[in-house]
Each structure stands twice: as C-alpha cells, then as structure tokens.
Amino acid sequence: MWGIFLESVVIFKNYMGFHQHRYLAFLYLGILLYLWFAEKDRHRRAVFVYAPTLLLVMFFCPLFRKLFVRLLDDSETYYRLLWLLQMSLVSAYGIIRLCAKHRRIGVALACGVIIVCGDYVYDSENISRAENAYHLPQETIEIVDLIEPEEGRITVLVPADLIYYIRQYSTNIELPYGREMLIARWDYHHPMYEAMEQAEVIETETFVELAREYPCAYIVLKEDREMTQPLTEHGFELYGQVGEFVIYRDME
C-alpha cells in the first residue's frame, strides 16, 4: 500500500510540475487551505472546498487507486482525476475572496505572483508560430488540397510526421493506421506501419502489396526515403511533390 501511495505522490508531483512550477501548486493548495477557514457559504464550500479536498483524499488513497485500475483496467489515465481539481477556478475564487476589500490591488498582485511563479511557455520546443489559420503545418494542407477527392473518401498512406495533422484538416482522407502506432508504450503492431517506418530500406514489392490491401489511393513518402525499387515500377505514378514529401498515385 505504501508503494502505491508513493506512486500517486509521484504522479501528483509530475502533474503539478514540481520540477518547474512548484510554486503554482503551493499557491493552489494554500488557497484551498485558506477557503477551509474563510468560506462560510455551504453551497460554495461544497464546490470550492469539499469537492477538491475529497478528490485529493481519494487520489492518494491506495485502495481507491486499486479499485480504479481494476474497474477500468487502465493505470495510465489515473492522473486525469486531477483534471477535476479545477485549479484555476478554485485559485481565482480564493484570490478574489482574499482580496475582497481591495480587489484591484489584490488582483494585480495575484497576477504578478502567478507570472513570477510560472514559466514562459512560448520558448518551448513544442510550440512554434502558426503558419496558417488552421494552425497546422502548411505542407499538410497543400498535400490534402492536392489529393482530396471532390466527394467520397480515399485511403492515403503518409509518413508518421503527418499522421497527427491529416485528419484534423480533412475527414475525407482515411489512414491505414493512426496515432496509436506512435505511442511506444502501447506496443501495437501493424504490418503496414512496420514496412513504412521501421524498415531501414522499404522492400518495395511487399510494401506495395500491403498498400493495395486497403487500398491506398496515394502514398506519400519523404524524398530521401530509401526503397529497393521505385514505386513507378509497380504501377504508381509520380503525382506531385510538396516540400520534402513526394506523392505517388496508384494507377492500377
């Protein structure tokens, strides 16, 4: 039981960002403690005090976690219970409650504390300036515009780089596999993905046979992807190119 409790502590610390933004977590917990003594309205206490406190107690309870995992057969999503804490809502209400007599000064001071305790997220390597109104890579949009049918749907095989974006832009493009193949810990296997991504050099004949089982109307490859034989020798035509991505259309 102690081991399960310590695992929950680690999950909580990772969720709260103790390695970078620990002060925001302390701010939330401090406001929650303040509301325990300051808030007298029973309806508001139920929302801003009792609910988050009960959730925290349940989250750290080893018996509850064992029951959660057993019923849902999923330990990886346990952290999502912390979404129900409504940190921003509780913190905002607590700050306003604390600064009720001096709201302007209090809110300005609270904003300053949050800024100092937080981090500038836009310098993250995972955030870049939007290239278009869709907030998707421009190459993805140009590829879909080039191959999307006027009506109906088609199946298209694309590199892993595009999987996250294709379906966000158009539901008329279907894929042989989705993001489940990109999550290593899920340990999924798919012959088409293995032939496309995991082989150092694509074995063209087997690759084409797999692609036609779906069937894939188009195949998109990076221009430097190595193959044992060109696709053009197996009934595909070079349909176009967008940036580093080369588009082939099946003519059979």
Side-chain angles (χ1 to χ4, degrees), residues 69-219:
V69 173
R70 177 171 295 183
L71 291 178
L72 300 183
D73 192 26
D74 186 1
S75 61
E76 293 185 358
T77 60
Y78 189 67
Y79 75 95
R80 293 182 181 177
L81 288 174
L82 297 175
W83 292 355
L84 301 177
L85 287 177
Q86 294 295 330
M87 291 179 61
S88 58
L89 184 63
V90 173
S91 298
Y93 176 76
I95 290 173
I96 296 298
R97 183 76 171 73
L98 180 63
C99 306
K101 296 181 179 180
H102 306 282
R103 290 188 178 182
R104 292 184 179 179
I105 297 176
V107 170
L109 181 61
C111 290
V113 171
I114 292 173
I115 291 172
V116 172
C117 294
D119 188 27
Y120 184 69
V121 299
Y122 293 106
D123 60 2
S124 169
E125 62 180 8
N126 298 317
I127 296 179
S128 58
R129 184 178 293 276
E131 300 179 40
N132 47 66
Y134 298 98
H135 288 236
L136 296 173
Q138 185 61 33
E139 290 177 330
T140 300
I141 294 175
E142 293 180 12
I143 290 172
V144 174
D145 287 344
L146 191 61
I147 65 177
E148 185 178 26
E150 293 184 1
E151 58 182 28
R153 297 183 177 183
I154 57 172
T155 301
V156 179
L157 181 61
V158 301
D161 297 0
L162 301 177
I163 286 178
Y164 285 107
Y165 308 115
I166 291 287
R167 294 277 295 175
Q168 292 184 52
Y169 182 61
S170 173
T171 57
N172 292 329
I173 305 295
E174 296 183 347
L175 306 175
Y177 47 80
R179 62 181 292 271
E180 72 278 357
M181 299 307 304
L182 307 182
I183 310 299
R185 67 178 182 273
W186 290 354
D187 197 28
Y188 284 175
H189 298 281
H190 194 293
M192 188 75 261
Y193 177 80
E194 293 171 2
M196 175 75 165
E197 300 291 344
Q198 297 182 343
E200 292 186 11
V201 179
I202 293 178
E203 205 293 305
T204 308
E205 187 171 347
T206 302
F207 178 75
V208 169
E209 290 178 0
L210 289 171
R212 284 176 173 156
E213 286 181 4
Y214 290 95
C216 294
Y218 295 89
I219 293 177

Side-chain angles (χ1 to χ4, degrees), residues 209-251:
E209 290 178 0
L210 289 171
R212 284 176 173 156
E213 286 181 4
Y214 290 95
C216 294
Y218 295 89
I219 293 177
V220 181
L221 297 173
K222 289 187 175 180
E223 59 183 350
D224 60 353
R225 190 68 169 97
E226 295 186 37
M227 308 185 71
T228 56
Q229 296 174 298
L231 284 176
T232 51
E233 295 182 6
H234 291 265
F236 284 80
E237 71 164 352
L238 181 59
Y239 187 72
Q241 182 167 354
V242 176
E244 64 175 334
F245 298 101
V246 180
I247 305 169
Y248 296 91
R249 181 171 64 175
D250 192 357
M251 300 301 293

